[in-house]
Amino acid sequence: MRLTSIGRQLLMTIALPVILLALWWVVSADNTSPFWPSLQKILQAFPDTWTSDRVMEDIVPSLARLALGYALALLVGVGLGTVIGLSRPVRAFLEPALEFLRAIPPPVIIPVIALFVGYSGWTSKIIAIALGCLWPILLNTVEGVRGLDEVLVDTARSYRFRRPTYLYQVVLRGSSPQVATGARQALSIGVIMMVISELFAADNGLGAAIVQAQRAFAIPEMWTGIILLGVIGFLLSLIFRLAEWRALAWYRGLRRSERGT
Amino acid sequence: MPDTLLEVHQLKKVYETASGPVEAIGDISFDMRQGELVCIVGPSGCGKTTLLKCIAGLLKPTAGTIRLADRPVTGPPESMALVFQEYGRSLYPWLTVRGNVELPLRHQKMDAAQRSRLVDDALEAVGLEHAGRSYPWQLSGGMQQRVAIARAVAYHPEVLIMDEPFAAVDAQTRADLEDLVRALHIERGMSILFVTHDIDESVYLGERVIVLSTSPTWVQDDIAIDLAPERDQITTRALPRFTELRTHVYEQIQRAKRGEAVRPQA
Ligand SMILES: Nc1ncnc2c1ncn2[C@@H]1O[C@H](COP(=O)(O)OP(=O)(O)OP(=O)(O)O)[C@@H](O)[C@H]1O
Ligand SMILES: [Mg+2]
């Protein structure tokens, strides 16, 4: 019963991608337009485009910058979000400004960052990714910390938990469902920022590789880069969901029991 | 009185709400001795929970003073445990039952084995020795309430404050837990302040029963329960004196509900 339901779920999950790929394959098969090469051609270009050298030069730096920027945003976002969420005066003071900053589309901060550290190099890209990821993490953390049940907080106070215990065991774990929501949104923003930050300087990285291929009229190669980005984005969100599934098992159980099933 | 543990003096608490001030407690004064077991009864909404939260240092009184062991209460005191009326909301849903009971012990000076034994003993005392690995939300309301009690018991406080702790448990478990509270009081000399709705329970458990009036609240009556310290669910409850006392408490509560009480002159 359980195995078959997992099997059915799997089938449901991969059915549409498989159908779309098949459709793409068939429709593009005898395409003569140079801008829409056939899927077959694109796939054939894959091994030559993404040699292990290119993986080391483009994909690894891209992912490393994403990881660093994302980690920085998590650290700062959760830390700052906790401070803001715990203090009503700080919140009242900062919240309007935060809402305004969040409304600014993250890509426009890249030229601003470039004024200080230039377009090329790692620093500007990591800062751009981190700033893009920061807002959803920060604002969701504030929301989660503020929403902590006051009885849980009173319990911690009456048993005189030490500060670190209180911050980790009560505040952080209690707000973790909201933090995860923010982190999930931030991950997709992070991938976008990773690519965009590379488009400006176009020195190395996945985004740069796509632009370079396009400028060189290597259209099938350009398409391989786009497909690769899609796959990477998909895998990252899969990893995220797995981690979330494990870490927030209690939250699912709680929600299920509250709904009374 | 040299062995006074708790002094509540002209306590007043007004909640400031969006729709104006709510006077939860008008003027409450009473003392409690070291090692005493005092029950508090009173009509619903008369401010019992508010009173306990003030004593536990979680709420700041609007006026009046609270002293514990001769020191003013300004924050949650050491060696005090509070079992909240909202038992379900006081358990950490991301921790197992064991984790919940163990968390307050984390900073006490003891090794892991000793801590683990305290948790085992407390869970056994409330009849939940098999539920340690469950999460609170997997348990019934009555079981959750017992987890909250186990957490307080494992903490080994000198002062235990309980806010209607048995409201959700069945009659048989309730009798067992009442005897557990009596045992904590007799064997460990724990000072216990116990809020209940149940008149029989207050007389069975307490050495004193304090009856509160309706809001704005003051102490309507303070009844000494002169039953022997060794109590038994069947024989004690069958005593004529038990019946007299419960009748007395009952009448006081009825008077409180009708508002026929005289405000004490300070
Ligand atoms: N946080 C709050 N803000 C505003 N009013 C409150 C708050 N908490 C309690 N009150 C009000 O104060 C009064 C006393 O509440 P309290 O919970 O102390 O009563 P209680 O005796 O414990 O009631 P019960 O028997 O139902 O548990 C009530 O009128 C209640 O509405
Ligand atoms: Mg109450």
Side-chain angles (χ1 to χ4, degrees), chain B residues 91-103 115-116 118-139 143-144 146-148 150-151:
Chain B
L91 299 174
Y92 298 102
W94 47 91
L95 296 176
T96 60
V97 166
R98 263 198 97 78
N100 268 284
V101 177
E102 202 167 18
L103 193 56
R115 188 177 306 133
S116 171
L118 279 180
V119 175
D120 287 336
D121 290 350
L123 286 177
E124 201 186 315
V126 299
L128 284 180
E129 57 273 34
H130 301 303
R133 295 164 71 118
S134 305
Y135 285 89
W137 37 266
Q138 294 173 317
L139 308 178
M143 289 166 91
Q144 290 177 10
R146 278 142 69 195
V147 176
R151 178 168 62 187

Side-chain angles (χ1 to χ4, degrees), chain A residues 150, chain B residues 15-17 22-24 42-51 85 163-164 195 197 215:
Chain A
E150 59 177 309
Chain B
Y15 286 108
E16 295 301 337
T17 67
V22 175
E23 186 175 11
S44 187
C46 75
K48 303 180 293 294
T49 299
T50 305
L51 170 65
Q85 185 172 11
D163 196 353
E164 299 188 33
V195 164
H197 261 132
S215 235

Side-chain angles (χ1 to χ4, degrees), chain A residues 149 152 156 160 162 165 169 174, chain B residues 76 89 92 94 106-107 152:
Chain A
D149 194 316
L152 289 183
R160 296 164 61 98
R162 297 231 178 111
T165 307
Q169 295 287 349
Chain B
R89 284 167 60 200
Y92 298 102
W94 47 91
R106 202 166 268 214
H107 298 307

